[in-house]
Amino acid sequence: LESTTGGVSWEVPFGVLRQHGPLLSVLFIAYICFFVVAAFNIITSMFIGKALQHAQPDIDRALMEQNHRDIKDARELMDWFREADVDGSKTISMEEFKRFVHDDYIRAKLHLRGIHINDARVFYEMLHIVSEGDEVDFRTCVTACLRMRGVATSLDLHCLIFETKRLSRRLDALRHDVMGKLQELERGPRRPKRHGHDPRSRRR
């Protein structure tokens, strides 16, 4: 052990073991090599692990930085949509949105933030469905753009499939209800039953 930790030079025990045969000498050299390699690997792995641990930010800090980025991106998008509002209606029309998306400078900024809008008309129609007025307000545009960042995950796709199925079931139930109402209207109002004796029974 001292020959591997620096207490005794390994040449001294090697010279003694060589006098007793080559087998012991070879085993001693193999022991020295194994210890040196193992020690280097352990020390190197410890230093690398500590370095990676200090270099990787903790979860709270990462969430805080992501929250700050979201707030900053939301403010910048709000300012951009205000500039795109040419008529000053505080809403974005279809034409204003197309000009906004097709602008090369704006498109480059959106791409840097991970926002890729390939079809401006389809995207605006989706926003118009959830909007209350004839045009889309700034907040709806900003929220939709922030949700467009990155690539859709498997969870996002499953949520979309679930929402689609639920909407389809509600539409089917509504269709059955409407068909039932129409069939009742086609039959006409029900005639009330007459309460009284049959005149033929009186003749008898």
Side-chain angles (χ1 to χ4, degrees):
L1 180 63
E2 292 182 357
S3 61
T4 55
T5 56
V8 177
S9 177
W10 64 272
E11 294 181 359
V12 177
F14 178 75
V16 175
L17 293 174
R18 188 174 57 179
Q19 296 176 1
H20 296 279
L23 179 61
L24 294 177
S25 303
V26 172
L27 291 176
F28 179 74
I29 293 175
Y31 167 75
I32 295 295
C33 295
F34 174 77
F35 186 86
V36 171
V37 172
F40 272 115
N41 287 335
I42 293 173
I43 296 174
T44 304
S45 61
M46 289 177 60
F47 276 106
I48 292 177
K50 291 291 184 180
L52 292 176
Q53 185 178 0
H54 288 292
Q56 184 177 5
D58 55 357
I59 298 177
D60 294 334
R61 182 179 299 177
L63 292 175
M64 186 179 297
E65 292 177 356
Q66 181 64 38
N67 189 25
H68 287 319
R69 285 195 297 267
D70 292 342
I71 294 174
K72 182 180 178 181
D73 292 342
R75 290 176 179 174
E76 291 181 351
L77 287 170
M78 187 68 71
D79 294 336
W80 297 345
F81 282 116
R82 287 196 183 100
E83 294 177 359
D85 182 21
V86 180
D87 55 1
S89 60
K90 296 183 180 180
T91 56
I92 299 296
S93 63
M94 173 71 81
E95 296 300 327
E96 290 173 344
F97 189 78
K98 285 182 178 180
R99 286 195 299 267
F100 173 79
V101 174
H102 293 160
D103 186 86
D104 295 334
Y105 180 71
I106 296 297
R107 182 181 289 272
K109 283 190 171 182
L110 292 176
H111 284 182
L112 288 176
R113 286 157 179 80
I115 303 172
H116 304 279
I117 303 175
N118 297 324
D119 195 331
R121 183 184 62 81
V122 174
F123 188 79
Y124 184 85
E125 289 178 353
M126 292 170 52
L127 299 181
H128 189 264
I129 293 174
V130 299
S131 182
E132 297 179 355
D134 296 333
E135 297 181 352
V136 182
D137 58 287
F138 297 153
R139 187 177 298 274
T140 302
C141 293
V142 171
T143 303
C145 289
L146 291 178
R147 290 180 178 178
M148 285 289 293
R149 291 182 301 183
V151 182
T153 61
S154 178
L155 179 61
D156 296 331
L157 296 178
H158 282 291
C159 289
L160 180 60
I161 293 172
F162 174 76
E163 292 293 336
T164 304
K165 289 182 178 180
R166 188 174 64 173
L167 180 60
S168 177
R169 291 176 181 176
R170 293 179 61 183
L171 291 176
D172 289 338
L174 180 61
R175 182 175 60 84
H176 287 301
D177 189 16
V178 172
M179 292 298 293
K181 298 293 184 182
L182 291 177
Q183 289 177 359
E184 291 180 0
L185 292 176
E186 290 177 356
R187 293 170 187 165
R190 295 180 179 179
R191 295 180 181 179
K193 295 182 179 181
R194 295 181 180 180
H195 298 281
H197 298 285
D198 191 354
R200 291 178 293 180
S201 62
R202 290 182 182 179
R203 293 176 184 177
R204 296 179 183 176

